Amino acid sequence: MSNYTAPLKEINFVLNEVADIGRVYNQARFAESNAELIASILEEGAKFASGVLGPLNTVGDLIGSKIVDKHVRETSGFAEAYQKFIEGGWTALPCDPEYGGMGLPESIGIAAMEMWSAANLSFALCPMLGQGAIEALQSHASDELRDTYLAKMVSGEWTGTMNLTESQAGSDLASIRTRAVPDGDHFLLSGTKIFITWGDHQMTENIIHLVLARVEGAPEGVRGISLFVVPKFLVEESGELGAHNDVYALSVEHKIGIHGSPTCVMSYGENSAGAVGFLVGEENMGLSYMFTMMNHARLNVGVEGVALSDRAYQQAVSYASDRVQGKPPVANQDAGITKNAPIIYHPDVKRMLMLMRSLTEGSRALCYLTAVNFDLGHGGSDEGAETALARAELLTPIAKAWSTEVSQEVTSLGVQVHGGMGYIEETGAAQLMRDARITTIYEGTTGIQANDFIGRKVLRDGATELAGLLVDVRSTLDSAKEHEALLTVASALESSIVELEQITDWLIMRGKKDPVLTSTAAFNYLMGAGTCITGWLLVKSAVISMKKVNEDPDFYTSKITTCRFFTAHVLPRSASYFAAVRSSGEADLMLPASAFLG
Ligand SMILES: Cc1cc2nc3c(=O)[nH]c(=O)nc-3n(C[C@H](O)[C@H](O)[C@H](O)COP(=O)(O)OP(=O)(O)OC[C@H]3O[C@@H](n4cnc5c(N)ncnc54)[C@H](O)[C@@H]3O)c2cc1C
């Protein structure tokens, strides 16, 4: 696989201009952040991505991690890379300075995570989950727990994991069975968790597991789930590490992709009365606490989609510029090509590259905008913060699901651009497609995100929050209409937005009392809305680019062309999604379950 080069100019443009991160710097707690500082941090993060993480991506895929005597051995080279990662202070980027963090906006962490995930998703998953665990402890744990664990997690000396899933409890966490029994100042946990990312490794001396379990006698369902901290090694009062807790990895899964990331079956309390765990916050509030971590992780998984799409795009451009096949018809902008030429000159290859590029840039804008709204939302208690948080929560399921769904298309197109060589592992295009496959599944499948979006984020408030977002879309449309060159894209976006409003009104009328209709419609509604919102962000990019085009004609003209391509080739998909939503009430389009079973 060709090495990764972070698209820094594009990343800075989206952060600064499209997501308007400058609004975050106006908050007192981020007063020391500014565009120059952030650009220099991202430049260093980019060097780390291509210099340290990128070269380990293929070996992680080929060799992966393995388990020896209940201890997971990560891919050789990962531990050294992790050491450099923490020496660079990268785990501390968005963390609270009280525990040694740098206190930078989360949006910077998101942009950095894009680069690290693009370079080596398997590696990046470890600090990504650690970050979520830090956030959950910071927000909900007692001072004692925070004092014991946070500083070491922020410095990266200890990693963190997220233990939700059990064999009978995946999307449905109400079915969790892991038990917690009170025992003095702590609890004893017993049960088995599956699919735990970086559940064990040798890169750090301790691993802090955040575990969902049910205290004996707790109510059934989600109201009876509590959150516990379960360290791999117990921590003495002095801060020294004590005995090995009764938590072990039983096996490492063989999977389609992310082979360098150990996905572990974890046993708690298999060899004793239970693994020692400490309650976070109040009993039975675990799931709501875990949502702090899940929101973080969901947005980050959306960013993984962006990252892999971008890597696939870069790889495809590089291959298409080298591979010579046949004589392309001469397109206006490529006049002069009259003999056999690299496939990048073939209109259909260009179409694929433009599709990859526009979907990638659109999903990046969507994720970064969500991150900036989280930063604004977590910044204070004023009305502006509340509005921003509501906006971030509205966008999170779309950022997660839309960006990862399109990453399936983009990474698959990456294989297609390579022709037969794409199907051969040695080019690396296939690894990106395999790695991307998990992103629509973990941290809540696309189906779960779609239910969240349609039910909790749109229908519950009668689409008030969505209407607020569409006010901003209309303001961009007004600006676009001031430019002759953008009249066509403005008109296309306006039609799609009107259709989004109409289908939303229809759903409010029909869907509230018909859960089968809303569940059937959910995926298409999310994808349609995601296409419209991404279209808006690309039109916004084009409006900004029109004003700046003389500063850097190549860059800004490309942005305008990419937006025009998206509105012509991708935005029309929203109409198909909405047509499918409208037919979701037609029960006779679905076979009864028994008919599938023969
Ligand atoms: C590589 C990998 C790493 C992972 N890492 C972690 C981790 O670190 N920690 C952790 O706790 N878990 C982790 N997971 C688990 C992951 O989050 C779950 O696999 C995921 O939530 C889906 O659960 P499930 O596999 O049980 O699928 P199921 O819940 O059985 O879903 C199967 C299908 O049914 C659909 N479905 C289920 N319920 C509904 C519904 N209510 N409405 C609509 N559709 C529905 C789903 O969308 C899906 O298409 C990981 C999984 C993998 C494969």
Side-chain angles (χ1 to χ4, degrees):
M1 190 183 302
S2 61
N3 201 5
Y4 168 70
T5 308
L8 275 175
K9 194 193 274 192
E10 161 73 8
I11 286 176
N12 280 305
F13 170 77
V14 178
L15 261 185
N16 291 316
E17 308 286 346
V18 185
D20 197 4
I21 194 178
R23 295 174 292 162
V24 172
Y25 307 149
N26 292 335
Q27 293 184 344
R29 74 185 178 126
F30 297 129
E32 282 169 28
S33 300
N34 57 61
E36 289 74 35
L37 173 73
I38 298 312
S40 68
I41 291 174
L42 291 178
E43 203 176 325
E44 288 307 308
K47 282 186 201 155
F48 194 86
S50 50
V52 181
L53 301 183
L56 291 172
N57 198 32
T58 305
V59 68
D61 186 50
L62 291 177
I63 298 175
S65 45
K66 58 175 187 275
I67 188 157
V68 182
D69 296 336
K70 288 193 175 177
H71 297 292
V72 174
R73 311 264 166 215
E74 67 282 344
T75 304
S76 155
F78 273 45
E80 291 76 11
Y82 185 81
Q83 195 52 39
K84 287 186 191 151
F85 190 77
I86 64 175
E87 280 164 14
W90 292 116
T91 45
L93 223 53
C95 301
D96 189 343
E98 197 184 333
Y99 297 99
M102 291 190 209
L104 291 168
E106 171 67 19
S107 320
I108 308 309
I110 286 284
M113 199 49 84
E114 180 198 321
M115 301 189 286
W116 301 326
S117 303
N120 190 331
L121 177 58
S122 288
F123 178 95
L125 278 165
C126 185
M128 188 277 271
L129 285 159
Q131 198 61 54
I134 289 168
E135 237 180 77
L137 289 179
Q138 242 166 228
S139 312
H140 307 295
S142 63
D143 287 346
E144 197 185 342
L145 284 182
R146 284 196 259 185
D147 290 345
T148 308
Y149 296 101
L150 272 179
K152 295 269 191 192
M153 293 172 77
V154 168
S155 69
E157 286 163 88
W158 298 348
T159 60
T161 72
M162 172 157 162
N163 288 238
L164 289 71
T165 309
E166 299 176 8
S167 56
Q168 79 295 344
S171 301
D172 175 21
L173 293 170
S175 327
I176 278 177
R177 283 194 204 131
T178 296
R179 277 179 352 126
V181 180
D183 185 41
D185 69 344
H186 59 264
F187 286 75
L188 293 175
L189 275 76
S190 28
T192 305
K193 295 285 180 182
I194 64 166
F195 297 157
I196 305 308
T197 299
W198 284 98
D200 192 38
H201 58 81
Q202 310 307 314
M203 303 198 298
T204 55
E205 57 179 11
N206 209 1
I207 303 173
I208 310 307
H209 303 288
L210 288 199
V211 183
L212 286 183
R214 211 174 266 293
V215 177
E216 271 199 326
E220 291 291 303
V222 287
R223 289 208 180 84
I225 296 174
S226 302
L227 179 63
F228 297 87
V229 172
V230 184
K232 174 176 173 182
F233 286 96
L234 297 171
V235 183
E236 308 281 355
E237 255 175 51
S238 63
E240 298 290 302
L241 292 189
H244 199 303
N245 204 353
D246 190 3
V247 45
Y248 290 95
L250 296 180
S251 59
V252 172
E253 305 290 357
H254 294 279
K255 40 192 202 297
I256 295 179
I258 53 168
H259 296 155
S261 163
T263 305
C264 305
V265 175
M266 302 295 296
S267 82
Y268 288 86
E270 199 182 56
N271 313 297
S272 63
V276 174
F278 303 92
L279 182 68
V280 175
E282 288 173 37
E283 253 178 63
N284 301 330
M285 292 294 291
L287 205 60
S288 73
Y289 298 159
M290 208 60 159
F291 264 102
T292 308
M293 198 163 165
M294 282 199 273
N295 266 334
H296 166 96
R298 284 180 175 177
L299 178 55
N300 270 285
V301 174
V303 170
E304 290 173 11
V306 179
L308 295 172
S309 293
D310 187 64
R311 185 86 192 259
Y313 167 74
Q314 287 190 24
Q315 172 101 12
V317 168
S318 157
Y319 186 81
S321 321
D322 279 351
R323 170 75 174 159
V324 175
Q325 271 311 275
K327 203 163 99 184
V330 178
N332 288 343
Q333 73 267 50
D334 296 326
I337 301 292
T338 51
K339 49 181 193 235
N340 279 4
I343 56 171
I344 200 164
Y345 289 97
H346 284 284
D348 187 54
V349 174
K350 257 194 206 172
R351 176 194 61 78
M352 290 192 274
L353 294 175
M354 287 304 295
L355 194 48
M356 295 172 81
R357 181 180 177 122
S358 63
L359 290 170
T360 305
E361 291 189 7
S363 56
R364 178 181 290 113
L366 179 60
C367 289
Y368 286 16
L369 179 71
T370 310
V372 165
N373 275 293
F374 269 124
D375 277 326
L376 293 169
H378 292 147
S381 52
D382 62 339
E383 206 184 306
E386 224 173 86
T387 311
L389 197 55
R391 173 75 52 94
E393 285 174 357
L394 173 77
L395 290 174
T396 298
I398 312 180
K400 199 278 180 185
W402 198 87
S403 305
T404 58
E405 287 291 336
V406 303
S407 79
Q408 310 307 309
E409 181 178 352
V410 175
T411 53
S412 175
L413 282 167
V415 171
Q416 192 71 16
V417 169
H418 285 72
M421 282 311 287
Y423 202 69
I424 307 300
E425 289 285 356
E426 104 193 29
T427 58
Q431 184 193 339
L432 295 171
M433 192 175 89
R434 289 186 288 101
D435 283 357
R437 194 62 196 87
I438 186 59
T439 60
T440 61
I441 297 173
Y442 59 17
E443 293 308 337
T445 61
T446 301
I448 296 301
Q449 305 303 324
N451 284 344
D452 178 42
F453 179 60
I454 200 170
R456 271 192 289 272
K457 306 292 164 62
V458 176
L459 294 185
R460 186 180 281 177
D461 75 353
T464 308
E465 196 46 52
L466 179 64
L469 178 86
L470 296 184
V471 170
D472 288 0
V473 174
R474 290 202 177 278
S475 148
T476 303
L477 276 173
D478 290 342
S479 308
K481 286 177 192 166
E482 289 168 15
H483 302 277
E484 180 86 32
L486 297 183
L487 286 178
T488 311
V489 298
S491 153
L493 178 62
E494 191 156 34
S495 307
S496 297
I497 293 301
V498 168
E499 285 169 13
L500 172 59
E501 285 167 335
Q502 287 170 346
I503 199 69
T504 304
D505 288 345
W506 182 86
L507 275 169
I508 291 173
M509 241 173 16
R510 296 280 307 272
K512 261 192 163 167
K513 294 188 195 112
D514 188 347
V516 175
L517 184 154
T518 45
S519 300
T520 311
F523 169 82
N524 287 303
Y525 181 64
L526 179 145
M527 291 303 288
T531 306
C532 292
I533 292 168
T534 307
W536 161 49
L537 293 171
L538 289 179
V539 171
K540 191 174 174 193
S541 304
V543 171
I544 298 163
S545 298
M546 287 299 294
K547 293 180 189 145
K548 294 185 154 237
V549 72
N550 291 333
E551 287 174 27
D552 186 346
D554 286 350
F555 179 75
Y556 290 112
T557 307
S558 300
K559 301 265 356 148
I560 296 163
T561 306
T562 304
C563 164
R564 289 179 49 230
F565 179 89
F566 185 94
T567 46
H569 283 242
V570 182
L571 195 57
R573 294 179 187 182
S574 62
S576 319
Y577 287 125
F578 296 147
V581 170
R582 233 175 247 283
S583 70
S584 298
E586 295 169 32
D588 60 355
L589 291 180
M590 295 279 191
L591 293 171
S594 58
F596 291 98
L597 304 170

